[in-house]
Amino acid sequence: MDPELLQRTRYILRARFRRTQTCPTAMLQSTCEQLLQWLTSTPVTAAQIHGIKTRPSAAAEAVRTIAADLKSRNLENTSGGIPFYTPVSYSASNIEDHAAMCLAVLETLAQTKPFDPFLTRCLAEHLNQDDHIKIDDAVQVLRDVALDGLFEHLDEHLDSRNILLILLQKYKQRSEWFRRDRLRRVAGDGLEGKLGERALAADLYEYLLDQSVEFFVEPASGAGEADIVLREPNGKYIVVDAKYIKAEDAPSEVKRKLASGFHQVARYCDDYNEPAGYLVAYSESRRRLAVELAESDGWRLLPAGGKLIYFVEIGIADSPSASKLGRADEIVVSAEELIARHSHNED
C-alpha cells in the first residue's frame, strides 16, 4: 500500500488523540466524547473499535462495573479520602484485554456528563492501585495508561489490510450509489478489451490506482490468473479476485460462482504465501445475497484452506436496491455449501 497514505492516516490518528491527551482537565469529558465519536464514525478505525468491543473482556467489564457502582450508590468524594469505595485489581490478561479496558475507560469518561473528578480518581486508582490519588495525577494516569494504550493498539493494527478494506468499502459505496448503469454496461460490453468479471475487475483496478495505492501488477500464478495481484514496495502481496453474478443466474449457479471465487482466492494466497485475500462479487441479481460468513472487526470473511478470504458484495442491479429486498427475495448461501462445493467447482 502507498506508504504516504498509511503515514497520513497515522498522522490524523495521532492528532485526534493528542487533543484529548493535552487538554485542560476540565475539558477531558468533552474531548473524550469527541474522540470516541470520531473513532466510531471513521471507517479506518470503526472496524477496529467494533472488534475490540465484541471480544469478551474481564478488564473492560471491571471498568464498567466501577462506573455503574458509583452511579448506583451516588458516591461522592470527601476530604478524608474515599471511604466508600475500594478499587478492584487491574485484571487484563493479554494485549487484547488491555485494549478493551482502555476503550472502556474512554467510553466511561465520554459518557459521564458533566466531568466527574471522583469517578476519574476511582478509575485511575483502579489502574494505579493507589487509593489516595490527586485529581491531576489521576487524569495523567488515565492519559498514560488508557488513552496511550488505545492509541498504540489502533496504530499497531493500522496496516495494509485495513487500508485496502476501507478503499473497497468506499468503492462499494461509489459503485452502488453512482455507477450501477455504468458497471452493467462494462460487464456486458467490455472495458479495455476485457469482458464480464475481468472488465469489472479492470474498473476496480482503475479506482485503486486513482486512490494513490502503490502496487505492481504480477504475472499469473500457478493456480491461474487472479484478477488483481498487487505487490507492495515491501514485497508483500495482495490478492483480489472478482466474480460477476448475472441477473439470470439461478441460485445454484450463484452458489457455484461464489464457491469458486472463495477457493480461487485461497489458492492464489497459497501461491504467494499470503494469509489473506479479497473476493469482490458484483451482483446484477435483484435477489439479495445472504452469504453466511464469519465476521472480524466488522468485516465479513470465510476461512478457507488455512486462509482468510474477505468478502465485499457490490449490488449493480437496476432495481430495486439490495437493501430494500426482503427475506423472500434472498439467495441464502451457507459457509458449509461454499466449502462443500469447492471440490466440484471449475472456473
Side-chain angles (χ1 to χ4, degrees), residues 20-21 23 25-36 63-64 67 70 101-124 127 135 138-147:
T20 306
Q21 291 167 319
C23 70
T25 296
M27 293 178 61
L28 184 62
Q29 184 279 322
S30 60
T31 55
C32 282
E33 185 177 19
Q34 294 162 13
L35 175 61
L36 183 63
V63 170
R64 298 187 187 101
L70 296 183
M101 181 278 298
C102 294
L103 177 59
V105 170
L106 175 62
E107 290 177 325
T108 300
L109 293 174
Q111 296 164 3
T112 304
K113 297 182 181 181
F115 173 70
D116 187 341
F118 185 45
L119 171 63
T120 302
R121 290 179 60 185
C122 290
L123 291 176
L127 300 180
I135 182 60
V139 169
Q140 195 59 48
V141 167
L142 297 184
R143 285 171 169 165
D144 290 345
V145 178
L147 293 179

Side-chain angles (χ1 to χ4, degrees), residues 49-347:
I49 295 296
H50 173 81
I52 294 172
K53 290 190 67 170
T54 54
R55 298 188 192 101
S57 169
E61 192 58 35
V63 170
R64 298 187 187 101
T65 298
I66 291 170
D69 187 41
L70 296 183
K71 183 177 181 180
S72 66
R73 291 196 283 164
N74 194 27
L75 296 181
E76 296 180 356
N77 196 2
T78 69
S79 59
I82 307 176
F84 304 108
Y85 180 73
T86 301
V88 296
S89 299
Y90 168 78
S91 58
S93 58
N94 53 53
I95 296 298
E96 288 72 23
D97 204 17
H98 179 75
M101 181 278 298
C102 294
L103 177 59
V105 170
L106 175 62
E107 290 177 325
T108 300
L109 293 174
Q111 296 164 3
T112 304
K113 297 182 181 181
F115 173 70
D116 187 341
F118 185 45
L119 171 63
T120 302
R121 290 179 60 185
C122 290
L123 291 176
E125 289 164 2
H126 168 62
L127 300 180
N128 208 42
Q129 293 299 289
D130 180 352
D131 59 1
H132 293 286
I133 190 169
K134 297 180 180 178
I135 182 60
D136 289 341
D137 294 335
V139 169
Q140 195 59 48
V141 167
L142 297 184
R143 285 171 169 165
D144 290 345
V145 178
L147 293 179
D148 275 354
L150 182 59
F151 167 77
E152 289 168 359
H153 183 85
L154 295 174
D155 183 66
E156 180 181 348
H157 291 80
L158 187 64
D159 54 17
S160 298
R161 186 201 72 171
N162 298 99
I163 296 297
L164 181 60
L165 285 170
I166 297 308
L167 291 179
L168 289 177
Q169 184 182 65
K170 290 175 62 179
Y171 176 73
K172 169 182 169 69
Q173 186 177 61
R174 188 204 69 165
S175 298
E176 292 182 341
W177 286 13
F178 308 113
R179 300 293 181 91
R180 286 175 179 262
D181 291 343
R182 179 181 186 274
L183 289 174
R184 288 197 304 274
R185 290 195 300 270
V186 164
D189 301 336
L191 179 67
E192 300 296 333
K194 299 178 175 62
L195 293 171
E197 63 192 35
R198 296 293 182 186
L200 292 168
D203 183 80
L204 173 57
Y205 214 66
E206 179 184 17
Y207 174 82
L208 292 176
L209 184 61
D210 288 344
Q211 298 301 310
S212 299
V213 176
E214 182 178 309
F215 60 81
F216 305 95
V217 182
E218 289 296 304
S221 68
E225 183 182 357
D227 290 315
I228 305 176
V229 176
L230 315 178
R231 180 164 57 86
E232 300 180 88
N234 62 9
K236 294 182 62 178
Y237 292 92
I238 300 173
V239 176
V240 184
D241 209 8
K243 284 297 175 185
Y244 172 38
I245 297 172
K246 300 179 181 179
E248 64 272 17
D249 283 346
S252 60
E253 177 64 7
V254 172
K255 294 177 182 181
R256 186 198 70 81
K257 286 184 176 181
L258 290 177
S260 173
F262 277 113
H263 290 283
Q264 277 180 329
V265 175
R267 292 197 302 272
Y268 300 145
C269 289
D270 277 334
D271 284 355
Y272 294 105
N273 195 30
E274 290 296 331
Y278 308 84
L279 177 64
V280 179
Y282 296 85
S283 177
E284 198 175 284
S285 175
R286 293 191 179 188
R287 303 179 67 179
R288 178 177 176 272
L289 301 183
V291 187
E292 298 174 355
L293 301 172
E295 287 196 8
S296 176
D297 293 346
W299 305 103
R300 303 171 69 198
L301 67 140
L302 175 73
K307 309 297 181 180
L308 296 179
I309 313 304
Y310 291 88
F311 178 68
V312 178
E313 177 191 348
I314 299 177
I316 60 173
D318 52 355
S319 64
S321 65
S323 62
K324 296 181 180 179
L325 295 176
R327 290 190 61 84
D329 294 307
E330 289 183 344
I331 298 177
V332 180
V333 187
S334 68
E336 290 75 13
E337 287 180 295
L338 294 174
I339 298 297
R341 286 172 175 265
H342 168 48
S343 59
H344 303 290
N345 282 351
E346 297 178 0
D347 285 341

